[in-house]
Amino acid sequence: MKLKINEKPFLPEGRHVVKITEVEEGRSENKDIPFINCRMENENGFVNQRFYLSEPGQPILASFLKAIGIDKNEVDSKELKGKVLSIEVEERSYEDAEGKGKTIKQATHFETAGKADISDKF
């Protein structure tokens, strides 16, 4: 049997310099909270990160925007694509709305990528 893989692997845990390659808008399945989902990747893999547009999500979104050099109160999500930043990938476990345990990879600890870190490889 031949296997054809058309996707990169998930980024391993640790710090990575990534580029935002996709931005999708959506609403959470259970509480109908709007979010943006950013796919962040480099030559080694990718991670998807949802940013909820809720009151508790504001500080997380603010630190993400600061890391990619956006310092304004209002931004079009289309402006995020192509931005480069440094992230830390970690696993997080939680219970979903039905009480089932889930583990996801997430991006945290957003920082500005140094000029030496930026590469056209991804």
Side-chain angles (χ1 to χ4, degrees):
M1 171 186 335
K2 291 184 180 180
L3 301 176
K4 187 174 181 179
I5 309 296
N6 293 321
E7 181 61 275
K8 292 180 178 184
F10 289 117
L11 284 169
E13 290 186 60
R15 181 142 305 268
H16 302 274
V17 175
V18 294
K19 181 185 280 188
I20 301 166
T21 58
E22 294 177 27
V23 179
E24 297 175 333
E25 298 175 5
R27 298 189 84 79
S28 65
E29 296 81 4
N30 296 307
K31 296 185 180 179
D32 200 37
I33 298 170
F35 67 82
I36 57 168
N37 183 70
C38 294
R39 178 182 168 114
M40 297 176 262
E41 64 182 284
N42 62 25
E43 65 275 6
N44 299 317
F46 78 100
V47 66
N48 285 309
Q49 181 63 46
R50 279 187 182 183
F51 296 94
Y52 289 95
L53 309 179
S54 62
E55 187 77 28
Q58 293 293 303
I60 298 164
L61 185 56
S63 71
F64 170 72
L65 293 174
K66 182 178 178 185
I68 60 174
I70 296 177
D71 189 23
K72 51 186 176 181
N73 292 342
E74 195 169 300
V75 63
D76 188 326
S77 61
K78 293 178 185 100
E79 293 179 49
L80 307 179
K81 191 172 177 180
K83 301 287 188 187
V84 175
L85 71 154
S86 175
I87 63 169
E88 208 167 289
V89 175
E90 59 186 35
E91 285 192 353
R92 178 173 73 90
S93 297
Y94 68 98
E95 274 192 18
D96 69 9
E98 297 168 1
K100 295 178 186 170
K102 298 217 176 196
T103 300
I104 60 168
K105 288 214 177 208
Q106 66 179 17
T108 62
H109 303 104
F110 310 109
E111 294 182 7
T112 303
K115 290 189 189 317
D117 294 334
I118 299 172
S119 162
D120 289 328
K121 293 183 202 172
F122 46 98

